[in-house]
Every structure is written in C-alpha cells, then in structure tokens.
Amino acid sequence: MAYTRSAIVTGGTQNLGYHAALDIARQHPDWLVVVCSRSDREHAADSINEALKQSNTIFISLDLSDSKSVRNFAKDWVAKNYPPIQALCLNAALQFPGQIVYTAEGIEATFAITHVGHALLFHLLCPHIASKARVVITASGVHDPANYSGLPPAVYTTGEELAHPPPAIANGPGQGHYSNAKLANILWTYALHKRLRQRIPDRGVAVNAFDPGLMPGTGLAREYSAPMRFLWHKVFPKITPILKTVYGGNIHKPSDSAASLAWLAVSNETDGISGKYFEGKKEIPSSKDSYDETKIDDLWRWTLQYCAQDDTEAARFEGFT
C-alpha cells in the first residue's frame, strides 16, 4: 500500500507512546505509523497491526542518548523515502533517581534523552516534515514548582549546565534532572514555535507541549529500586481512582492520556494551534520560568551549537532547511 503520510512516536513501544501510536494508526490506516525505541522486545508494532487488522505500523530502532543512532535513523528515513511526516510525537523520557548518569557522549542522561536527542531528531527530519504537520512534545507538570509534585523543583540556569551539571546540580537529587529536562521541553517548545513562525510561516508547522499527568505502571520508573518498581507497576495502577481522589485529577491510565496525545497530534479540532501547553485536552499556563525569554533563547542557542556538526549544518538547522 502506498501510504500518504507518516507519523513517528518516540518511546512508542510501551505505555503512553504505544497507545498513542495505536490511536493514530486506527484513525489513519492510510498513514505509515512508526514506533521508535532502543528495542521492541514486546513486538509493539506487530501487536498494533494485529489489534487493528492492519499492517501500517512498523518499528525502527532509535537510541536518543546516542547522536549517532539519531543520525542513522534520519539517514535511513531519507534512504527509504518514507512518506512526509504529518505527526511527530517526541514522547520518550527516562528518570534516573540515584546518582547522576551520563551518556557515552558525556551529557547528563535525562537531559540527553528527553531533550537533546529529540531536538536533533527534529532538525534532521525537518526537511521531510509535511505542510501543516504537528509536533507534540511530551512534557510534565513536574516542571512547575507550583504543582508540588514531590520532585525537586526545576531550576534552569543554562543549557550548558543541564548538559554538564556543576557539582551543585550534579550532586543533588537525581529526580531533579527530570524536572529540569521537562522544563527544557517546554522552553524548547516555545523557542521552536517562535522560530517556525519567523522562518517558515508558509509551511504551517505547529508545535505544542503536552502533560499526560501521572500514569502509574509506565516504564518511567524502570531505573528505580525493586520495591518502588513493585509499587509503581503492581499496586498504583490498581488504585488509580483512589490516587485521583487523594492527590487530584491529573492521574490517568496510559491509554486515556494517549487519547489526548493523539488528539493533539492529528485531530482537526487542534488544527492551527501552536506554541501552547496542554494538560490532557485542556490548554493551561506553564510555569513562570518557562516564559522567560532569556532562558528560551539560551536553550535554543545551546541546543543548536551542540547538535550541529559544523557551521553549515547549524545554519540549516536555524533556517529549517
């Protein structure tokens, strides 16, 4: 079958990403839906195809902590001449609750996976993104200290200090890196929205940030201790209604949050909406710091400088060509 468009979901083999890919594939059997992760041990693509009695979902390996893997993904995408990308869901994330973890390239791992790898992927694939495409970045309410999430509050100094934290940050609680990375997701959403409107307004590419809420049972806790993993995977999912009553309404099953993610990515109702932050299907304000233009511009400059291999590529990334 000749597919008309493509949709890409990072972290698409499990939980939120899996269900979002399933929803998109169901709504658009004429699209190629690509689920990405380091591996597909659960055969997610096959599972989606079997559930829908379709064959439009495939798996492509992608390690967001490794720039070579991201570049190989993009090269393979071009070589295989896949259809234009209509929906790009930058969803993958990971927490490291203990001591700081670095990638092989020397970047703090939470920031590398959650922000840097996604930014590089976007810039490499930008020439293959369709007119009026949607980019949805999975953020989190933990970025906002006003939400009292229980995680350390996000503190943005510079992009360089999130990538290579000084001792004051590096030696702090590991979950603080997650709060910081999620703030970076929203800062980058606003930076990207502004520059898309300036550089390529005629293409109408939209970008929004999305908070799926707390989703007990997802793979986010796979780096936690065995007792915490047991609670997260076996206990909390069974008492989600109680948790919602006690802690508030933004606690969901992955499939429910995925419906909102798919809605942002493909629904006609969200056509033309860009530069916003959503909690589920509701547009809400993000944190005070997330609107700081100094922070937004700093992250944009640092990201381009780090991701681009040379001045020519930096110019291409900056101009979205």
Side-chain angles (χ1 to χ4, degrees):
M1 178 178 179
Y3 297 112
T4 60
R5 290 289 187 268
S6 297
I8 297 174
V9 184
T10 69
T13 60
Q14 298 182 60
N15 304 304
L16 175 66
Y18 171 88
H19 290 288
L22 178 69
D23 272 9
I24 294 170
R26 179 189 293 115
Q27 294 179 49
H28 292 281
D30 57 325
W31 289 13
L32 178 70
V33 178
V34 181
V35 293
C36 310
S37 189
R38 285 178 295 180
S39 63
D40 188 17
R41 291 188 294 269
E42 302 299 323
H43 305 287
D46 292 340
S47 174
I48 291 172
N49 288 330
E50 290 171 9
L52 300 178
K53 302 297 187 287
Q54 297 172 185
S55 58
N56 62 318
T57 302
I58 64 171
F59 167 76
I60 302 179
S61 178
L62 174 64
D63 183 352
L64 289 162
S65 71
D66 180 357
S67 64
K68 292 180 182 177
S69 175
V70 178
R71 288 183 178 277
N72 286 337
F73 180 98
K75 288 178 183 177
D76 183 66
W77 188 270
V78 175
K80 293 186 177 177
N81 196 30
Y82 288 125
I85 301 163
Q86 195 67 47
L88 179 60
C89 300
L90 303 178
N91 166 72
L94 196 58
Q95 283 189 33
F96 299 93
Q99 290 185 331
I100 191 168
V101 176
Y102 293 94
T103 68
E105 297 171 7
I107 298 291
E108 191 281 311
T110 314
F111 183 64
I113 295 166
T114 306
H115 168 65
V116 180
H118 279 143
L120 177 59
L121 181 67
F122 169 82
H123 283 295
L124 293 172
L125 293 179
C126 189
H128 310 285
I129 291 178
S131 176
K132 297 186 178 180
R134 314 274 183 83
V135 180
V136 183
I137 300 169
T138 300
S140 172
V142 304
H143 85 280
D144 188 349
N147 286 334
Y148 305 107
S149 66
L151 270 63
V155 178
Y156 188 96
T157 49
T158 65
E160 172 61 22
E161 289 198 350
L162 293 192
H164 305 103
I169 297 175
N171 298 330
Q175 291 171 320
H177 303 302
Y178 184 75
S179 301
N180 290 342
K182 287 303 179 181
L183 175 56
N185 281 155
I186 300 172
L187 292 169
W188 194 71
T189 297
Y190 296 156
L192 181 58
H193 164 75
K194 176 181 177 181
R195 288 158 178 81
L196 285 169
R197 290 297 183 268
Q198 291 174 341
R199 274 42 160 198
I200 50 171
D202 55 313
R203 288 180 63 183
V205 178
V207 55
N208 293 291
F210 168 69
D211 172 19
L214 183 68
M215 297 174 292
T218 64
L220 190 63
R222 59 183 175 268
E223 298 294 330
Y224 278 62
S225 66
M228 279 302 301
R229 291 200 304 272
F230 176 80
L231 289 172
W232 182 253
H233 290 291
K234 302 298 183 181
V235 178
F236 292 166
K238 295 179 181 179
I239 61 171
T240 296
I242 298 173
L243 293 173
K244 291 184 72 169
T245 300
V246 174
Y247 295 105
N250 197 23
I251 303 174
H252 308 281
K253 294 180 180 179
S255 57
D256 294 337
S257 292
S260 298
L261 175 53
W263 174 79
L264 267 176
V266 301
S267 173
N268 291 334
E269 295 177 31
T270 53
D271 186 33
I273 297 174
S274 184
K276 306 298 182 181
Y277 174 60
F278 284 82
E279 181 185 277
K281 292 184 178 180
K282 181 182 178 181
E283 180 190 332
I284 65 170
S286 52
S287 71
K288 179 181 177 181
D289 278 356
S290 70
Y291 296 107
D292 187 325
E293 291 290 341
T294 301
K295 293 178 172 62
I296 290 170
D297 291 344
D298 173 81
L299 182 64
W300 180 263
R301 288 192 300 268
W302 182 90
T303 302
L304 250 64
Q305 182 180 8
Y306 180 81
C307 288
Q309 290 183 323
D310 52 38
D311 290 344
T312 300
E313 190 170 72
R316 183 163 67 84
F317 287 178
E318 181 71 48
F320 301 109
T321 56

